[in-house]
Amino acid sequence: MCVGQLGSLLPHVVVPSILAAFLIPEWHLSGAQAGLLAGSGAAGYMLAVPVLATLTDRIDARKILIAGSALSALGTLLFGLFASGLWSGALLNALAGVGFAGAYMPGLKALTDRLASGDSSRAVTLYTSSFSFGVGLSFLVSQLVADSLGWRSAFFVTALGPIVMLAVCLLLRPVAPKPAPGRLLDFAPVFRNTRAMGFVLGYGAHCFELYGIRTWVVAFWTFVAMKNSDTSLLTPIVVSVIFSLLAMPASILGNEFALRVGRHRAITIVMFASAIVALLIGVFADKSPWFLLPLLLAYAITVPADSGALTSGMSMAAHPDYRGATLAAHSTVGFSLSALGAWGVGVALDLAGGPSSANAWMAAFSVLAAGILLGPVALYWSRRVSPQS
């Protein structure tokens, strides 16, 4: 499943990867428009995942996974063929996002349905942390292909990735879930589960920060490289790939940290640390790349370090009869705030002078810091309402 997810994720950040070098100048996009384009995939995901993830409580998640993977490949291919501006690009990117909604959380449900109960925490963390490895691969392949063959070719090549997940699905044994009680989109039992909702809302804050920086990390390092001459080894491709690859061990270690000191405490510590690092990057945005690189690498660790703990915490807190619905709420909140994070950083850049201004990057990283600090608030609320958590 982790290997299949790498394939599913190959198209995942192709738009953010080529945004600064190709789409912004060719389509004359503002920061807000670029953020809207990048966030449209998350918006499509958000609209589809409540139905698709909740359906996994009623039918084998493998069936949804097959359909979602096929649609993800199709949407990516159509973007490469037909996208010609903001709105056509946003529509086709949203279509690919709908496909990914049938791949990511249904993939997690397909995995957990086939595991013994005691295997879930580390297995879920490995699955969610491999997400970051797949994103790093997406950054690498997208930028290399775009630089060599043109940006449309990046979509043609990455559209092949979801076919890997289709092959994996053929190896999964069929599983028929126990019929869930209630209506298909009845989220009332999920919302009443305050233990799970604390993790869901915390995941939303995490996704705001994560997708905000993933959308704009290439543009930020392009700004750093333009202001300095000593970046021959630190190209945007290298930095964005390293940033993403660090997320996998960070997420695994973050979950291990949570198992030892408690999930709420560990996640809160990580989120506060991430906000501090974001503000430091913003303050020193115009400094040497060799000064900024350690800060950015530290950020590459703090941003995803709470991911596995949040998702495994949600999965274990979910009622077994409503695990698919809880996954749906988790993803809907997360990817709603992902789209908002990509757009919000773009708006901050526009308002503070554009991506060529150090003050604008200070504003952008301040927005990211403010977003992640909402996570500890959600966890504190959850603990007050449900002391046993």
Side-chain angles (χ1 to χ4, degrees), residues 20-88:
F22 296 95
L23 299 184
I24 289 178
E26 184 172 326
W27 292 352
H28 309 291
L29 303 176
S30 67
Q33 290 172 329
L36 180 64
L37 175 63
S40 59
Y45 182 105
M46 170 197 71
L47 293 173
V49 77
V51 174
L52 297 179
T54 307
L55 272 174
T56 64
D57 283 331
R58 289 163 168 78
I59 63 175
D60 189 350
R62 186 183 69 150
K63 297 178 181 178
I64 299 169
L65 185 55
I66 291 172
S69 298
L71 184 59
S72 176
L74 177 63
T76 305
L77 178 64
L78 291 176
F79 192 112
L81 289 171
F82 299 116
S84 58
L86 171 62
W87 296 113
S88 61

Side-chain angles (χ1 to χ4, degrees), residues 243 246-247 249-251 253 270 274 296-306:
F243 189 95
L246 284 174
S251 182
L253 292 174
V270 167
S274 199
L296 197 64
L297 295 182
Y299 200 44
I301 294 170
T302 61
V303 169
D306 52 6

Side-chain angles (χ1 to χ4, degrees), residues 281-306:
I281 295 173
V283 168
F284 298 112
D286 59 349
K287 302 303 180 185
S288 163
W290 297 104
F291 178 83
L292 281 167
L293 183 62
L295 288 174
L296 197 64
L297 295 182
Y299 200 44
I301 294 170
T302 61
V303 169
D306 52 6

